[in-house]
Amino acid sequence: MTEEAKTSEPRTAPAVSVVGPGDGETIVLGTTRMRVLEDGSHTGHRLAIAESVLAPHTQGPPQHRHREHDEGFYVLSGTVRFTVGEEEYDAAAGTLVMVPPGAPHTFANPTDQPAVMLSTFTPDLYVQYFRDLQEVLAAGRPLTPQTNADAMSRYATEPATDRA
């Protein structure tokens, strides 16, 4: 008989996380509203998930690259324009865009309609970047390119100024 079989203590299953339609942490960055559905605290920091609503004609972040995490975008409604290096892709609802570490990228909503997308961060470290930006805005400071680059640098990310 194994040691595990000899113990009389019941096994506990990992806790299941359920986030309802009105739940989750809300982060507002200009014309983008993000709802953090999983910040990594229930996944051992392996995965974070957020829903983002981009208002019409919303410019996204400066083109950037991540050194330590993959980022996924699933377009739920509307159209999101992804720029990867010099190439642009208009992603309609139902499109999945996966960005591996090192790939320069950004996104925007150039249309007259809102766009909604589900984003994944594997591992979760980039969620804190959005929280940091919200703190800058809450303190009444502007989001300058330098402020953005400083925040990115804390999460293994840098502006892709060379777009290579």
Side-chain angles (χ1 to χ4, degrees):
M1 188 178 269
T2 66
E3 281 300 311
E4 187 174 271
K6 289 180 187 177
T7 64
S8 60
E9 294 180 27
R11 288 185 169 197
T12 58
V16 172
S17 172
V18 176
V19 180
D23 299 335
E25 173 187 1
T26 300
I27 298 174
V28 178
L29 301 172
T31 59
T32 299
R33 187 180 78 246
M34 174 183 278
R35 185 167 66 112
V36 179
L37 304 170
E38 170 56 53
D39 67 358
S41 61
H42 297 97
T43 65
H45 301 285
R46 295 178 307 272
L47 170 69
I49 302 171
E51 174 190 66
S52 296
V53 179
L54 308 176
H57 306 288
T58 293
Q59 294 301 310
Q63 194 161 148
H64 58 281
R65 59 173 55 88
H66 308 290
R67 288 189 306 275
E68 297 179 11
H69 72 274
D70 294 272
E71 194 168 23
F73 303 92
Y74 183 72
V75 181
L76 296 168
S77 66
T79 299
V80 179
R81 177 167 294 153
F82 289 89
T83 305
V84 180
E86 299 296 326
E87 296 189 44
E88 291 184 343
Y89 304 90
D90 284 344
T95 302
L96 174 67
V97 176
M98 288 301 303
V99 180
H105 65 284
T106 189
F107 56 86
N109 177 4
T111 74
D112 294 330
Q113 300 298 316
V116 181
M117 61 183 178
L118 195 63
S119 301
T120 61
F121 312 95
T122 314
D124 70 334
L125 77 143
Y126 210 55
V127 170
Q128 189 59 45
Y129 161 77
F130 300 108
R131 291 172 174 152
D132 289 359
L133 293 185
Q134 181 173 253
E135 286 179 18
V136 168
L137 292 172
R141 298 189 315 265
L143 284 182
T144 65
Q146 187 60 52
T147 302
N148 205 336
D150 290 345
M152 284 180 174
S153 71
R154 291 191 291 273
Y155 306 102
T157 300
E158 62 191 11
T161 53
D162 60 353
R163 297 186 185 196

